[in-house]
Tab-separated table of all heavy atoms in Angstrom:
chain	number	residue	atom	x	y	z
A	12	ARG	N	73.739	17.673	-12.659
A	12	ARG	CA	73.794	16.817	-13.839
A	12	ARG	C	75.219	16.745	-14.471
A	12	ARG	O	75.500	15.950	-15.339
A	12	ARG	CB	72.767	17.152	-14.855
A	12	ARG	CG	72.979	18.466	-15.586
A	12	ARG	CD	71.771	18.782	-16.430
A	12	ARG	NE	71.857	20.069	-17.198
A	12	ARG	CZ	72.302	20.115	-18.416
A	12	ARG	NH1	72.646	19.008	-19.083
A	12	ARG	NH2	72.374	21.290	-19.071
A	13	PHE	N	76.075	17.680	-14.012
A	13	PHE	CA	77.430	17.704	-14.548
A	13	PHE	C	78.461	17.035	-13.577
A	13	PHE	O	79.646	16.994	-13.894
A	13	PHE	CB	77.896	19.174	-14.762
A	13	PHE	CG	77.016	19.946	-15.718
A	13	PHE	CD1	76.239	20.988	-15.239
A	13	PHE	CD2	76.958	19.594	-17.060
A	13	PHE	CE1	75.401	21.712	-16.106
A	13	PHE	CE2	76.129	20.305	-17.939
A	13	PHE	CZ	75.360	21.336	-17.421
A	14	ILE	N	77.936	16.518	-12.468
A	14	ILE	CA	78.818	15.941	-11.464
A	14	ILE	C	78.681	14.411	-11.463
A	14	ILE	O	77.557	13.900	-11.359
A	14	ILE	CB	78.427	16.493	-10.042
A	14	ILE	CG1	78.412	18.039	-10.055
A	14	ILE	CG2	79.432	15.932	-9.015
A	14	ILE	CD1	79.696	18.693	-10.361
A	15	GLU	N	79.792	13.714	-11.588
A	15	GLU	CA	79.749	12.245	-11.520
A	15	GLU	C	79.542	11.770	-10.128
A	15	GLU	O	80.231	12.183	-9.195
A	15	GLU	CB	81.074	11.687	-12.103
A	15	GLU	CG	81.037	10.189	-12.207
A	15	GLU	CD	82.369	9.580	-12.711
A	15	GLU	OE1	83.217	10.418	-13.127
A	15	GLU	OE2	82.509	8.381	-12.626
A	16	ASN	N	78.590	10.891	-9.956
A	16	ASN	CA	78.254	10.358	-8.616
A	16	ASN	C	79.170	9.163	-8.292
A	16	ASN	O	79.057	8.080	-8.790
A	16	ASN	CB	76.804	9.914	-8.568
A	16	ASN	CG	76.366	9.399	-7.216
A	16	ASN	OD1	77.153	9.347	-6.272
A	16	ASN	ND2	75.099	9.017	-7.108
A	17	ASP	N	80.145	9.458	-7.398
A	17	ASP	CA	81.030	8.367	-6.959
A	17	ASP	C	80.843	8.108	-5.449
A	17	ASP	O	81.631	7.410	-4.773
A	17	ASP	CB	82.470	8.704	-7.187
A	17	ASP	CG	82.927	9.941	-6.418
A	17	ASP	OD1	82.086	10.710	-5.992
A	17	ASP	OD2	84.188	10.115	-6.282
A	18	ILE	N	79.785	8.701	-4.837
A	18	ILE	CA	79.526	8.539	-3.379
A	18	ILE	C	78.272	7.712	-3.158
A	18	ILE	O	78.277	6.619	-2.601
A	18	ILE	CB	79.356	9.903	-2.701
A	18	ILE	CG1	80.645	10.721	-2.850
A	18	ILE	CG2	78.994	9.727	-1.235
A	18	ILE	CD1	80.576	12.090	-2.344
A	19	ASP	N	77.136	8.236	-3.649
A	19	ASP	CA	75.830	7.603	-3.367
A	19	ASP	C	75.365	6.845	-4.587
A	19	ASP	O	74.319	7.134	-5.173
A	19	ASP	CB	74.862	8.674	-2.962
A	19	ASP	CG	73.514	8.068	-2.506
A	19	ASP	OD1	73.481	6.914	-2.128
A	19	ASP	OD2	72.505	8.841	-2.542
A	20	LYS	N	76.145	5.885	-5.010
A	20	LYS	CA	75.866	5.116	-6.211
A	20	LYS	C	74.959	3.939	-5.919
A	20	LYS	O	75.298	3.100	-5.103
A	20	LYS	CB	77.148	4.674	-6.870
A	20	LYS	CG	76.881	4.067	-8.300
A	20	LYS	CD	78.166	3.754	-8.957
A	20	LYS	CE	77.930	3.211	-10.408
A	20	LYS	NZ	79.156	2.867	-11.090
A	21	LYS	N	73.879	3.856	-6.586
A	21	LYS	CA	72.956	2.716	-6.398
A	21	LYS	C	73.252	1.652	-7.405
A	21	LYS	O	73.503	1.927	-8.560
A	21	LYS	CB	71.489	3.192	-6.531
A	21	LYS	CG	71.050	4.161	-5.449
A	21	LYS	CD	69.631	4.604	-5.624
A	21	LYS	CE	69.195	5.578	-4.577
A	21	LYS	NZ	67.808	6.058	-4.743
A	22	ILE	N	73.179	0.410	-6.935
A	22	ILE	CA	73.405	-0.710	-7.804
A	22	ILE	C	72.081	-1.330	-8.263
A	22	ILE	O	71.205	-1.628	-7.443
A	22	ILE	CB	74.212	-1.834	-7.075
A	22	ILE	CG1	75.534	-1.233	-6.483
A	22	ILE	CG2	74.542	-2.978	-8.006
A	22	ILE	CD1	76.463	-0.654	-7.484
A	23	SER	N	71.878	-1.368	-9.587
A	23	SER	CA	70.626	-1.884	-10.100
A	23	SER	C	70.628	-3.372	-10.053
A	23	SER	O	71.670	-4.054	-9.972
A	23	SER	CB	70.400	-1.411	-11.520
A	23	SER	OG	71.386	-2.045	-12.375
A	24	LEU	N	69.424	-3.985	-10.005
A	24	LEU	CA	69.263	-5.413	-9.995
A	24	LEU	C	69.899	-6.108	-11.218
A	24	LEU	O	70.508	-7.147	-11.094
A	24	LEU	CB	67.750	-5.789	-9.903
A	24	LEU	CG	67.093	-5.514	-8.584
A	24	LEU	CD1	65.604	-5.772	-8.715
A	24	LEU	CD2	67.684	-6.374	-7.485
A	25	SER	N	69.755	-5.437	-12.324
A	25	SER	CA	70.325	-5.974	-13.562
A	25	SER	C	71.850	-6.067	-13.470
A	25	SER	O	72.488	-7.016	-13.965
A	25	SER	CB	69.945	-5.139	-14.801
A	25	SER	OG	70.376	-3.804	-14.644
A	26	GLU	N	72.474	-5.064	-12.806
A	26	GLU	CA	73.897	-5.082	-12.636
A	26	GLU	C	74.315	-6.162	-11.686
A	26	GLU	O	75.298	-6.873	-11.886
A	26	GLU	CB	74.388	-3.730	-12.114
A	26	GLU	CG	74.324	-2.600	-13.139
A	26	GLU	CD	74.704	-1.229	-12.534
A	26	GLU	OE1	74.228	-0.882	-11.478
A	26	GLU	OE2	75.543	-0.526	-13.201
A	27	LEU	N	73.564	-6.330	-10.608
A	27	LEU	CA	73.852	-7.355	-9.594
A	27	LEU	C	73.753	-8.757	-10.182
A	27	LEU	O	74.510	-9.651	-9.809
A	27	LEU	CB	72.908	-7.201	-8.374
A	27	LEU	CG	73.279	-6.093	-7.408
A	27	LEU	CD1	72.148	-5.912	-6.382
A	27	LEU	CD2	74.583	-6.376	-6.667
A	28	ARG	N	72.758	-8.949	-11.056
A	28	ARG	CA	72.555	-10.278	-11.677
A	28	ARG	C	73.822	-10.739	-12.475
A	28	ARG	O	74.106	-11.883	-12.577
A	28	ARG	CB	71.321	-10.280	-12.545
A	28	ARG	CG	70.017	-10.224	-11.790
A	28	ARG	CD	68.841	-10.543	-12.660
A	28	ARG	NE	67.563	-10.386	-12.008
A	28	ARG	CZ	66.787	-9.315	-12.110
A	28	ARG	NH1	67.137	-8.305	-12.913
A	28	ARG	NH2	65.630	-9.219	-11.480
A	29	LYS	N	74.469	-9.708	-13.064
A	29	LYS	CA	75.604	-9.996	-13.893
A	29	LYS	C	76.873	-10.235	-13.097
A	29	LYS	O	77.880	-10.757	-13.603
A	29	LYS	CB	75.804	-8.847	-14.904
A	29	LYS	CG	74.738	-8.697	-15.914
A	29	LYS	CD	74.972	-7.485	-16.778
A	29	LYS	CE	73.794	-7.241	-17.747
A	29	LYS	NZ	73.958	-5.988	-18.517
A	30	MET	N	76.839	-9.794	-11.817
A	30	MET	CA	78.043	-9.922	-10.992
A	30	MET	C	78.159	-11.285	-10.303
A	30	MET	O	77.184	-11.939	-9.981
A	30	MET	CB	78.003	-8.849	-9.892
A	30	MET	CG	78.078	-7.372	-10.416
A	30	MET	SD	77.797	-6.178	-9.154
A	30	MET	CE	79.274	-6.324	-8.191
A	31	LYS	N	79.413	-11.727	-10.178
A	31	LYS	CA	79.707	-12.960	-9.472
A	31	LYS	C	79.697	-12.677	-7.955
A	31	LYS	O	79.820	-11.539	-7.523
A	31	LYS	CB	81.069	-13.506	-9.877
A	31	LYS	CG	81.152	-13.907	-11.356
A	31	LYS	CD	82.542	-14.353	-11.728
A	31	LYS	CE	82.593	-14.654	-13.199
A	31	LYS	NZ	83.984	-15.107	-13.588
A	32	LEU	N	79.587	-13.771	-7.178
A	32	LEU	CA	79.502	-13.638	-5.703
A	32	LEU	C	80.772	-12.887	-5.180
A	32	LEU	O	80.713	-12.091	-4.288
A	32	LEU	CB	79.347	-15.013	-5.093
A	32	LEU	CG	79.178	-14.980	-3.524
A	32	LEU	CD1	77.986	-14.188	-3.114
A	32	LEU	CD2	79.112	-16.458	-3.004
A	33	GLU	N	81.914	-13.262	-5.739
A	33	GLU	CA	83.196	-12.691	-5.356
A	33	GLU	C	83.176	-11.172	-5.596
A	33	GLU	O	83.706	-10.393	-4.823
A	33	GLU	CB	84.363	-13.328	-6.107
A	33	GLU	CG	84.648	-14.781	-5.732
A	33	GLU	CD	83.623	-15.701	-6.415
A	33	GLU	OE1	82.925	-15.322	-7.318
A	33	GLU	OE2	83.592	-16.941	-5.983
A	34	GLU	N	82.599	-10.784	-6.746
A	34	GLU	CA	82.542	-9.339	-7.106
A	34	GLU	C	81.623	-8.592	-6.133
A	34	GLU	O	81.895	-7.450	-5.777
A	34	GLU	CB	82.016	-9.192	-8.543
A	34	GLU	CG	82.982	-9.690	-9.582
A	34	GLU	CD	82.459	-9.685	-10.988
A	34	GLU	OE1	81.270	-9.912	-11.197
A	34	GLU	OE2	83.252	-9.365	-11.921
A	35	ILE	N	80.524	-9.203	-5.729
A	35	ILE	CA	79.620	-8.613	-4.793
A	35	ILE	C	80.317	-8.382	-3.421
A	35	ILE	O	80.211	-7.333	-2.814
A	35	ILE	CB	78.286	-9.432	-4.646
A	35	ILE	CG1	77.544	-9.419	-5.916
A	35	ILE	CG2	77.435	-8.841	-3.521
A	35	ILE	CD1	76.297	-10.305	-5.926
A	36	LYS	N	81.070	-9.447	-3.022
A	36	LYS	CA	81.762	-9.352	-1.772
A	36	LYS	C	82.853	-8.227	-1.829
A	36	LYS	O	83.023	-7.496	-0.825
A	36	LYS	CB	82.491	-10.712	-1.501
A	36	LYS	CG	81.481	-11.821	-1.011
A	36	LYS	CD	82.263	-13.107	-0.783
A	36	LYS	CE	81.335	-14.209	-0.331
A	36	LYS	NZ	82.074	-15.500	-0.096
A	37	GLU	N	83.487	-8.181	-2.960
A	37	GLU	CA	84.499	-7.130	-3.149
A	37	GLU	C	83.875	-5.729	-3.109
A	37	GLU	O	84.437	-4.784	-2.540
A	37	GLU	CB	85.224	-7.331	-4.519
A	37	GLU	CG	86.407	-6.433	-4.746
A	37	GLU	CD	87.100	-6.606	-6.048
A	37	GLU	OE1	86.807	-7.621	-6.730
A	37	GLU	OE2	87.896	-5.735	-6.398
A	38	LEU	N	82.725	-5.616	-3.732
A	38	LEU	CA	81.989	-4.341	-3.763
A	38	LEU	C	81.613	-3.899	-2.339
A	38	LEU	O	81.850	-2.789	-1.951
A	38	LEU	CB	80.721	-4.494	-4.611
A	38	LEU	CG	79.789	-3.253	-4.687
A	38	LEU	CD1	80.520	-2.107	-5.372
A	38	LEU	CD2	78.545	-3.588	-5.377
A	39	ILE	N	81.140	-4.863	-1.582
A	39	ILE	CA	80.739	-4.582	-0.193
A	39	ILE	C	81.993	-4.208	0.604
A	39	ILE	O	81.953	-3.310	1.465
A	39	ILE	CB	80.041	-5.773	0.465
A	39	ILE	CG1	78.678	-6.060	-0.255
A	39	ILE	CG2	79.767	-5.545	1.945
A	39	ILE	CD1	77.979	-7.298	0.142
A	40	GLY	N	83.072	-4.912	0.359
A	40	GLY	CA	84.341	-4.634	1.080
A	40	GLY	C	84.853	-3.208	0.726
A	40	GLY	O	85.368	-2.532	1.631
A	41	LYS	N	84.681	-2.768	-0.523
A	41	LYS	CA	85.213	-1.448	-0.914
A	41	LYS	C	84.337	-0.350	-0.403
A	41	LYS	O	84.776	0.690	-0.067
A	41	LYS	CB	85.296	-1.412	-2.425
A	41	LYS	CG	86.480	-2.129	-2.997
A	41	LYS	CD	86.558	-1.957	-4.527
A	41	LYS	CE	87.756	-2.646	-5.086
A	41	LYS	NZ	87.834	-2.496	-6.536
A	42	ASN	N	83.007	-0.594	-0.373
A	42	ASN	CA	82.102	0.468	0.003
A	42	ASN	C	81.025	-0.102	0.912
A	42	ASN	O	80.085	-0.778	0.396
A	42	ASN	CB	81.500	1.098	-1.268
A	42	ASN	CG	80.769	2.400	-0.948
A	42	ASN	OD1	80.362	2.620	0.217
A	42	ASN	ND2	80.621	3.270	-1.924
A	43	LYS	N	81.150	0.125	2.157
A	43	LYS	CA	80.218	-0.437	3.125
A	43	LYS	C	79.058	0.496	3.446
A	43	LYS	O	78.436	0.374	4.493
A	43	LYS	CB	80.971	-0.811	4.379
A	43	LYS	CG	81.962	-1.907	4.186
A	43	LYS	CD	82.592	-2.358	5.490
A	43	LYS	CE	83.558	-3.520	5.293
A	43	LYS	NZ	84.200	-3.912	6.569
A	44	LYS	N	78.793	1.424	2.566
A	44	LYS	CA	77.693	2.380	2.839
A	44	LYS	C	76.381	1.636	2.921
A	44	LYS	O	76.142	0.648	2.178
A	44	LYS	CB	77.646	3.418	1.755
A	44	LYS	CG	78.761	4.490	1.926
A	44	LYS	CD	78.550	5.613	0.941
A	44	LYS	CE	79.541	6.709	1.247
A	44	LYS	NZ	79.314	7.337	2.529
A	45	GLU	N	75.588	2.090	3.768
A	45	GLU	CA	74.289	1.404	4.059
A	45	GLU	C	73.443	1.203	2.847
A	45	GLU	O	72.808	0.163	2.694
A	45	GLU	CB	73.484	2.271	5.081
A	45	GLU	CG	72.192	1.618	5.535
A	45	GLU	CD	71.487	2.464	6.571
A	45	GLU	OE1	72.081	3.472	6.998
A	45	GLU	OE2	70.399	2.067	6.888
A	46	LYS	N	73.410	2.161	1.920
A	46	LYS	CA	72.520	2.075	0.706
A	46	LYS	C	72.942	0.913	-0.172
A	46	LYS	O	72.097	0.244	-0.807
A	46	LYS	CB	72.418	3.357	0.012
A	46	LYS	CG	71.646	4.426	0.759
A	46	LYS	CD	71.407	5.653	-0.088
A	46	LYS	CE	70.597	6.692	0.707
A	46	LYS	NZ	70.358	7.895	-0.081
A	47	ILE	N	74.205	0.692	-0.332
A	47	ILE	CA	74.698	-0.426	-1.178
A	47	ILE	C	74.365	-1.749	-0.544
A	47	ILE	O	73.932	-2.672	-1.216
A	47	ILE	CB	76.222	-0.280	-1.460
A	47	ILE	CG1	76.495	0.981	-2.278
A	47	ILE	CG2	76.772	-1.512	-2.096
A	47	ILE	CD1	77.926	1.194	-2.634
A	48	LEU	N	74.563	-1.812	0.757
A	48	LEU	CA	74.227	-3.059	1.497
A	48	LEU	C	72.767	-3.346	1.397
A	48	LEU	O	72.337	-4.497	1.194
A	48	LEU	CB	74.625	-2.908	2.992
A	48	LEU	CG	76.116	-2.858	3.261
A	48	LEU	CD1	76.378	-2.522	4.706
A	48	LEU	CD2	76.725	-4.235	2.950
A	49	LYS	N	71.920	-2.319	1.480
A	49	LYS	CA	70.469	-2.478	1.332
A	49	LYS	C	70.142	-2.991	-0.059
A	49	LYS	O	69.228	-3.823	-0.192
A	49	LYS	CB	69.741	-1.156	1.604
A	49	LYS	CG	69.631	-0.835	3.084
A	49	LYS	CD	68.803	0.414	3.292
A	49	LYS	CE	68.645	0.732	4.784
A	49	LYS	NZ	67.854	1.929	4.996
A	50	SER	N	70.834	-2.516	-1.124
A	50	SER	CA	70.625	-2.938	-2.421
A	50	SER	C	70.858	-4.439	-2.563
A	50	SER	O	70.070	-5.202	-3.214
A	50	SER	CB	71.509	-2.215	-3.450
A	50	SER	OG	71.190	-0.851	-3.494
A	51	VAL	N	71.934	-4.923	-1.942
A	51	VAL	CA	72.278	-6.305	-2.000
A	51	VAL	C	71.277	-7.169	-1.250
A	51	VAL	O	70.769	-8.213	-1.736
A	51	VAL	CB	73.728	-6.565	-1.401
A	51	VAL	CG1	74.006	-8.035	-1.361
A	51	VAL	CG2	74.757	-5.824	-2.209
A	52	ILE	N	70.913	-6.672	-0.037
A	52	ILE	CA	69.913	-7.373	0.800
A	52	ILE	C	68.606	-7.447	0.106
A	52	ILE	O	67.888	-8.523	0.072
A	52	ILE	CB	69.789	-6.686	2.168
A	52	ILE	CG1	71.079	-6.883	2.921
A	52	ILE	CG2	68.636	-7.246	2.972
A	52	ILE	CD1	71.231	-5.982	4.177
A	53	ASN	N	68.158	-6.325	-0.463
A	53	ASN	CA	66.891	-6.308	-1.186
A	53	ASN	C	66.901	-7.259	-2.387
A	53	ASN	O	65.902	-7.914	-2.699
A	53	ASN	CB	66.609	-4.882	-1.687
A	53	ASN	CG	66.227	-3.939	-0.536
A	53	ASN	OD1	65.820	-4.442	0.502
A	53	ASN	ND2	66.378	-2.687	-0.748
């Protein structure tokens, strides 16, 4: 609980709704980890 999560960060639907398409593409480009991709796909 004292460690900031900068590795396995999940993106919530509410956050995705506020993001523009370009921002989502940029996010995927910066971090191609499977869990983030799954969040977008879901």
Side-chain angles (χ1 to χ4, degrees):
R12 71 187 180 95
F13 302 112
I14 309 297
E15 183 181 352
N16 183 359
D17 64 342
I18 299 175
D19 187 19
K20 188 175 181 181
K21 295 180 180 179
I22 306 299
S23 67
L24 288 173
S25 59
E26 288 176 312
L27 282 171
R28 287 193 186 101
K29 294 175 184 177
M30 294 172 71
K31 296 177 181 177
L32 184 58
E33 292 78 14
E34 291 175 324
I35 294 175
K36 286 179 180 179
E37 187 181 348
L38 177 66
I39 295 171
K41 284 182 178 179
N42 193 337
K43 293 184 178 180
K44 285 189 173 290
E45 185 180 353
K46 288 189 178 180
I47 293 182
L48 289 171
K49 281 184 179 179
S50 294
V51 176
I52 292 166
N53 288 338

